[in-house]
Amino acid sequence: MTIDDRNPQNESMQSENILIRVKDLEKRFGDLTALSEVNIDIHRGEVVVIIGPSGSGKSTFLRALNMLEDPTAGAVYFNGVNLADLSVNINIHRQKMGMVFQHFNLFPHMTILKNMTAAPIALLKKSRAEAEADAMRLLTRVGLAEKAHEYPAMLSGGQKQRVAIVRALAMNPDVMLFDEPTSALDPEMVGEVLEVMRDLAREGMTMVIVTHEMGFAREVGSRIVFMDEGRIVEEAAPEVFFTTPRRERIAQFLRKIL
Amino acid sequence: MEAFWGTLQNSFERVFIVDDRWTLLARGLGLTLLITLLAALLGLVLGFLIAIVRSTHDKMTGLKPVPRAVLNLFNGIAKLYLTVIRGTPVVVQLMIIYFVVFGAVNISKVLVAVIAFGINSGAYVAEIVRSGIMSIERGQMEAGRSLGFSYAQTMVRVILPQAFKNVLPSLGNEIIVLLKETSVSGYIALEDLAKGGDIIRSVTYMAFMPLIVVALVYLTVVIFLSHLVTRLERRLRASDH
Ligand SMILES: Nc1ncnc2c1ncn2[C@@H]1O[C@H](COP(=O)(O)OP(=O)(O)OP(=O)(O)O)[C@@H](O)[C@H]1O
Ligand SMILES: [Mg+2]
């Protein structure tokens, strides 16, 4: 990446410590507008929790951050580079944006260790030994070292999701994106996954999390973003958001979910 | 009864022993297997390429105009290929490739047969592999891409290994179909197994024995291959995690 590829905004973004800047983001699926006029700055070390009713565009927004959904208008600056620009090599930037999915999406034909080392070896040019050592360290951290040589199908949902998290971490990302990471889990497994995420937040990882776990959002979030009908309608610190919601729509949503 | 055995023995000798006629069948079987093997390999390569073009075309979004146009062109060619190959008899394709495409060229007939049957099989392999690719959850591609793998890298490392495993039994069956279809090689004067039986029939004026034996040989090979496919299926299911 040369200086020329960078957006002029880069300078101000650096000084303000902004990792992701979303400008007038819009996403349409045919006639349906899933996102419109979305603007937000995400700072380094921040934990942004996105909540909102079903179909409000939370997943679409999260997936637009790393261009899994290509926006129909607007920009996503990541480290100062507009990812929505088709001439940008998105693959390079995705290496720095870990993503965790609701359904884990581990590679079923690879062992846990292979799941975790494939990308670091191929993309970061790590040696196998180095990648495996790093992977083992991460697995140990989430208490799954003894599963390294198993296949994903042998793991419980909670274990799979913990592996999915450390698989993304193995790329040493600048930000982690989570789309309802606990929604597909049996209730007794939710805690172990949230615990790993809590640790990450404590270590200062920048995180964007879509979740329905309000207790967790309140505890870990540095900012709550409420989406409705494809727009960000409210942004506030958790203590403000949950105690004095300013809009009836939000109060209604919170009554239903809490 | 004795008379019957006598006749049978007599015709067996005329059909297989005299002039070493059995070698027509032995060499024919060798040729049939050779054409099948090489055509299957060509078909697999073609089929995978076509399947990748087709499914990439259907799934790719967010492309710049030029790659999009190239992809559209390749996809158009692939669709035309599939329509023409699957819409015409293989024996007609074989004759067109031999008498028209290579009509003015001195080329090995075996090679022509391999090309013709390979191109034919490729169309069926393409649809099998494409269904295999489509059967893989969307999340697999997304997980690969989110780690920073390119589309092609994710295809090769994540999607195709799973798709290939899922469609291995269907590919095995396609090879069995291919083996039987090579029996029209005689149309370009290749002496494969079927043609060998037919030659014996025409020189001995005896139809029953040579043709029944030819059928039995095909059947034996097919049963053997089916057995391999079944075992493969069972192995795959056992290792299904
Ligand atoms: N690939 C797609 N094609 C067409 N419409 C889509 C597609 N993906 C999402 N949508 C639509 O866009 C809108 C926003 O969907 P999105 O998945 O972002 O909502 P969400 O807030 O994540 O909902 P949930 O809480 O149910 O996951 C919905 O109306 C959805 O039907
Ligand atoms: Mg969603």
Side-chain angles (χ1 to χ4, degrees), chain B residues 67-159:
Chain B
R68 169 55 53 193
V70 172
L71 191 53
N72 285 346
L73 176 70
F74 279 145
N75 186 57
I77 294 171
K79 273 167 91 168
L80 185 68
Y81 162 80
L82 292 175
T83 309
V84 170
I85 296 300
R86 296 191 303 160
T88 54
V90 64
V91 61
V92 176
Q93 295 162 17
L94 176 68
M95 289 193 294
I96 288 177
I97 289 178
Y98 182 62
F99 293 110
V100 182
V101 178
F102 293 117
V105 193
N106 191 6
I107 183 175
S108 142
K109 279 184 269 187
V110 176
L111 187 57
V112 169
V114 167
I115 291 171
F117 290 116
I119 287 177
N120 179 269
S121 183
Y124 296 93
V125 170
E127 289 303 88
I128 291 171
V129 173
R130 188 160 86 103
S131 76
I133 290 174
M134 288 192 313
S135 74
I136 306 301
E137 283 177 57
R138 197 171 78 136
Q140 291 289 307
M141 175 58 79
E142 293 183 343
R145 297 306 305 275
S146 77
L147 288 167
F149 284 122
S150 68
Y151 179 88
Q153 285 171 323
T154 311
M155 205 66 184
V156 170
R157 288 162 179 275
V158 178
I159 308 296

Side-chain angles (χ1 to χ4, degrees), chain A residues 27-30 32-35 50-63 69 102 179-180 210 212 227 229-230, chain B residues 138:
Chain A
K27 175 65 182 178
R28 291 166 189 259
F29 296 105
L32 186 135
T33 305
L35 292 178
I50 301 175
I51 64 175
S54 182
S56 59
K58 305 181 297 294
S59 297
T60 308
F61 169 68
L62 196 75
R63 294 157 53 81
E69 302 287 357
Q102 183 174 351
D179 192 359
E180 301 200 31
V210 175
H212 292 297
M227 292 189 70
E229 298 184 342
Chain B
R138 197 171 78 136

